[in-house]
């Protein structure tokens, strides 16, 4: 039985260059959990744990049906109240908006054959084992970003504004405007990787 690795099947989705590029992102589906607040806090960590516990439960359910897949990289959408923080540019936002104000949607991409019924069963099984209430909040989330500008960010998260500034300049030059939430794909495990070695795809849907 061949194991489906989404990062190999959809290389355009999971790779980026060290300079801004325009990509067309096809619709995809994800296990997802939303939240608000500081990503360095305990609540954020607990949501990640709930997401992975369910993702692995789902994986093993499909493995037993000969549809095994590799659990994908962690991703997140990030946004804030733009009426409250009007006029702040994408590269300024990480520095000027307090972390408590940020909202997010954690994501793990899953194969197209995953359905709501199996996700519900995986949630029940994961909750039965872990007893984590957050598992019950998980959902199967559909996303279609379409045209996007992306760039590979190398290094710690607090240096992201430097990469975002390059992307913002590129978007202005191309006449693009924002068309969705800021998207990050964590190619490195930030719990095990030195900050200077982190690799993160930064993606901005545009039109």
């Amino acid at each position: 039985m061949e194991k489906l690795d989404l990062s190999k099947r959809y290389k355009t989705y999971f790779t980026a260059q060290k300079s801004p590029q325009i990509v067309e992102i096809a619709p995809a589906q994800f296990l997802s959990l939303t939240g608000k607040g500081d990503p360095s806090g305990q609540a954020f960590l607990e949501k990640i744990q709930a997401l992975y516990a369910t993702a692995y439960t789902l994986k093993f359910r499909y493995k037993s049906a000969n549809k095994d897949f590799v659990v994908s990289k962690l991703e997140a959408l990030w946004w804030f109240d733009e009426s409250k923080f009007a006029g702040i540019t994408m590269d300024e936002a990480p520095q000027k908006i307090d972390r408590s104000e940020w909202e997010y949607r954690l994501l793990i991409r899953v194969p197209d054959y995953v359905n709501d019924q199996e996700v519900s069963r995986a949630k029940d099984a994961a909750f039965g084992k872990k007893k984590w209430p957050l598992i019950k909040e998980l959902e199967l989330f559909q996303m279609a970003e379409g045209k996007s500008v992306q760039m590979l960010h190398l290094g710690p998260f607090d240096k992201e504004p430097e990469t975002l500034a390059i992307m913002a300049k590129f978007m202005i030059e191309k006449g693009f405007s924002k068309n969705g939430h800021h998207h990050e794909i964590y190619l490195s495990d930030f719990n095990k990787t030195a900050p200077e070695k982190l690799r993160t795809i930064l993606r901005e849907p545009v039109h």
Side-chain angles (χ1 to χ4, degrees):
M1 177 180 61
E2 184 178 355
K3 186 185 300 185
L4 174 61
D5 187 337
L6 295 176
S7 66
K8 294 179 179 178
R9 174 74 61 86
Y10 303 105
K11 289 184 178 180
T12 299
Y13 185 92
F14 288 101
T15 58
Q17 299 174 4
K18 296 178 184 178
S19 57
Q21 62 183 136
I22 303 167
V23 292
E24 190 69 32
I25 303 300
Q29 64 176 2
F30 307 79
L31 281 183
S32 173
L33 190 58
T34 58
K36 182 177 181 179
D38 191 341
S40 64
Q42 183 64 24
F44 188 76
L45 175 61
E46 289 175 355
K47 288 178 186 291
I48 292 175
Q49 291 172 335
L51 194 61
Y52 270 106
T54 308
Y56 275 99
T57 302
L58 185 69
K59 165 198 165 61
F60 288 119
R61 288 186 63 84
Y62 275 98
K63 183 178 181 179
S64 67
N66 293 319
K67 289 186 176 182
D68 196 11
F69 61 90
V70 176
V71 173
S72 291
K73 303 292 186 181
L74 179 68
E75 309 178 35
L77 302 179
W78 295 92
W79 68 96
F80 54 86
D81 186 338
E82 295 190 17
S83 60
K84 183 176 181 180
F85 299 102
I88 296 179
T89 63
M90 59 186 275
D91 52 309
E92 294 173 335
Q95 298 168 318
K96 292 188 174 182
I97 300 175
D98 191 84
R99 288 183 170 192
S100 64
E101 298 283 354
W102 285 89
E103 297 186 61
Y104 56 84
R105 177 182 288 277
L106 292 170
L107 304 163
I108 293 179
R109 186 168 178 172
V110 294
D112 294 340
Y113 54 71
V114 169
N115 59 52
D116 284 307
Q117 185 177 42
E118 285 301 320
V119 169
S120 180
R121 289 171 176 167
K123 286 167 59 177
D124 288 343
F127 179 77
K129 183 177 180 180
K130 298 291 188 179
K131 307 300 182 184
W132 296 341
L134 284 170
I135 289 172
K136 294 185 175 183
E137 298 178 18
L138 279 161
E139 63 178 335
L140 189 61
F141 177 71
Q142 311 291 328
M143 184 165 68
E145 289 179 300
K147 182 184 290 186
S148 301
V149 171
Q150 69 176 24
M151 184 172 168
L152 181 64
H153 173 71
L154 301 173
F157 296 130
D158 61 9
K159 296 293 185 181
E160 280 188 9
E162 298 173 9
T163 302
L164 290 170
I166 296 171
M167 294 173 65
K169 182 175 183 291
F170 178 84
M171 288 165 59
I172 292 171
E173 290 173 349
K174 296 294 184 181
F176 292 145
S177 56
K178 181 180 175 181
N179 191 36
H181 295 318
H182 172 68
H183 185 179
E184 300 187 352
I185 302 175
Y186 307 107
L187 301 179
S188 310
D189 183 340
F190 47 75
N191 291 314
K192 299 178 181 178
T193 307
E196 66 273 12
K197 294 183 178 180
L198 290 173
R199 300 169 65 252
T200 309
I201 296 175
L202 305 185
R203 182 175 292 159
E204 300 288 339
V206 297
H207 59 189

